[in-house]
Amino acid sequence: MVDAERLKKNWSLVAAHGDQVPLYFYSTLFLTHPETRDLFPMNMAAQRDKLVAALGAVVSNVDTIEQVVPVLQDLGRDHRKFGALRGHYPAVGEALVATLEHFSGPHWTPAIASDWAAAYGIVAATMADAADEAAHYAPAWWDAEVVAHERRDLETAVITIAPGRRFDYLPGQSFSLCTELRPRAWRQYTPANAPRADGTVELHVRAVDGGEVSTAMVSLLRPGDPLRLGPAVGRGLVLGGNPPRVALIAGGTGVAPMKALIEQIATAPRPTSLYWGARNPAGLYYLDELRALAAAYEWLEFVPCADEDLFGGGVRIGSPVELAVAHGRCAGAEVFVCGPPGMVESSRKHLLDAGVRAEAIHFEPSAE
Ligand SMILES: Cc1cc2nc3c(=O)[nH]c(=O)nc-3n(C[C@H](O)[C@H](O)[C@H](O)COP(=O)(O)OP(=O)(O)OC[C@H]3O[C@@H](n4cnc5c(N)ncnc54)[C@H](O)[C@@H]3O)c2cc1C
């Protein structure tokens, strides 16, 4: 039996060592099991962040592990693209325990060691079982080709890709992709369309400062370039049930899943409001398409917003969440939020403060 409190306490002790923790973990893993090095990208900086984030998420949910089971199953299926086989899990477990022991110093006890072994055992088995099951019906990855690449502004590109074989996903889900321009560096992106008959997928990519993959995707990627895709993951932004009304709140490229959801809603229309914001109107790179959608669908309201509108771009001044709440669009609605991590968090708080039920607020927990 895992002692959740003891585990959480030990994790906060270890995590206080910051970047040293993933550094030690990967050094140990690659030294003791050199064959695992090829599973990871050349540049390990982003990967290091991910490990600490993933461990923190598992530990903070260890007493309600059933809630993270779907996430772990997604992770296990997704890891097939690395060639991560059941045989690698013990190597990772050993390096993890060695790392935790190292940073726990005198606080490391046999009881803590056995808590960690048990927690990791559950995680590894859940991931490996889901991967084995997926092997019966899905490939480990999908090859795809870029069919269109349209630069909308300095930072943003709208990219259309064609998977070489059937690629299933639900509106609101994301998938990881890898380009030969940045070998073995996988990042998540979110389709901006519901599945189409021709199988093509539209992506909106914003280059982040110093970003390894996003800058290459925006500046260097060209039609004809190959990509590799992992399976669709995430349930946070999936629209289920039959809600009477829907409010969509987006910042930047967070509008991509909202457009996919609007295409889904078009098959069973209901009153829907999309509030989409950027710092200034120039950042609203998809304005014409969304205005055209709102003109075509009488059940869809579209409110572009910005912090400032110096040149009269016809947008509302304010943040998407503040305006949507002030206009009464979130009361009694299922509310979907997507955008930069800080924006999602502050929007969530604003909605809760405005009295929106936590269960009615939908978002994808960020990997940041
Ligand atoms: C579920 C999910 C869906 C996503 N969908 C999209 C999408 O549709 N379009 C899209 O453009 N991006 C999307 N992202 C973000 C994307 O996965 C990458 O994180 C982003 O493109 C940066 O990758 P990079 O390799 O360029 O940056 P990295 O080299 O990984 O990081 C470089 C620096 O940028 C910072 N950084 C990383 N991501 C962001 C960010 N989003 N905002 C601000 N700073 C950041 C890092 O902390 C680091 O300091 C999504 C992320 C998640 C978790």
Side-chain angles (χ1 to χ4, degrees), residues 116-130:
W116 275 111
Y120 181 74
I122 298 169
V123 170
T126 310
M127 286 176 62
D129 288 349

Side-chain angles (χ1 to χ4, degrees), residues 259 262-263 266 272-275 286-304:
K259 209 274 223 132
I262 289 168
E263 291 184 6
T272 300
S273 301
L274 168 62
Y275 282 70
Y286 209 63
L287 212 46
D288 292 346
E289 286 90 342
L290 294 172
R291 282 188 169 139
L293 268 187
Y297 297 140
E298 39 82 25
W299 46 267
L300 177 64
E301 173 194 35
F302 171 45
V303 181

Side-chain angles (χ1 to χ4, degrees), residues 253-273:
T253 54
V255 79
M258 305 311 184
K259 209 274 223 132
L261 289 172
I262 289 168
E263 291 184 6
Q264 176 188 350
I265 295 168
T267 63
R270 67 205 60 232
T272 300
S273 301

Side-chain angles (χ1 to χ4, degrees), residues 46-68:
Q47 194 66 36
R48 285 179 187 145
D49 292 339
K50 274 184 203 163
L51 170 85
V52 177
L55 269 182
V58 168
V59 171
S60 44
N61 286 292
V62 75
D63 34 4
T64 51
I65 197 82
E66 64 288 348
Q67 282 180 19
V68 280

Side-chain angles (χ1 to χ4, degrees), residues 7 27 64 86 89 113 116 190-191 203 231 236 261 278 280 285 289 291 318:
L7 206 60
S27 310
T64 51
R86 199 176 264 275
Y89 285 93
W116 275 111
T190 316
L203 301 175
L261 289 172
N280 60 61
Y285 61 88
E289 286 90 342
R291 282 188 169 139

Side-chain angles (χ1 to χ4, degrees), residues 115-187:
D115 282 346
W116 275 111
Y120 181 74
I122 298 169
V123 170
T126 310
M127 286 176 62
D129 288 349
D132 287 351
E133 199 206 323
H136 293 298
Y137 62 84
W141 67 79
W142 283 255
D143 288 311
E145 188 182 300
V146 176
V147 292
H149 184 287
E150 199 186 331
R151 194 85 180 254
R152 290 293 170 104
D153 56 35
L154 269 181
E155 294 179 333
T156 320
V158 172
I159 302 169
T160 307
I161 65 171
R165 56 188 288 181
R166 185 181 158 149
F167 180 71
D168 289 327
Y169 65 92
L170 299 169
Q173 284 194 301
S174 306
F175 58 85
S176 60
L177 66 73
C178 183
T179 156
E180 283 178 359
L181 299 166
R182 299 289 180 262
R184 300 201 298 270
W186 292 81
R187 298 289 185 273

Side-chain angles (χ1 to χ4, degrees), residues 46 49 174 187-190 204-206 208-215 253 256 340-341 364-368:
D49 292 339
S174 306
R187 298 289 185 273
Q188 264 177 290
Y189 295 96
T190 316
H204 297 186
V205 181
R206 191 178 81 81
V208 305
D209 258 356
E212 187 185 355
V213 175
S214 62
T215 50
T253 54
E364 196 57 67
S366 163
E368 300 295 306

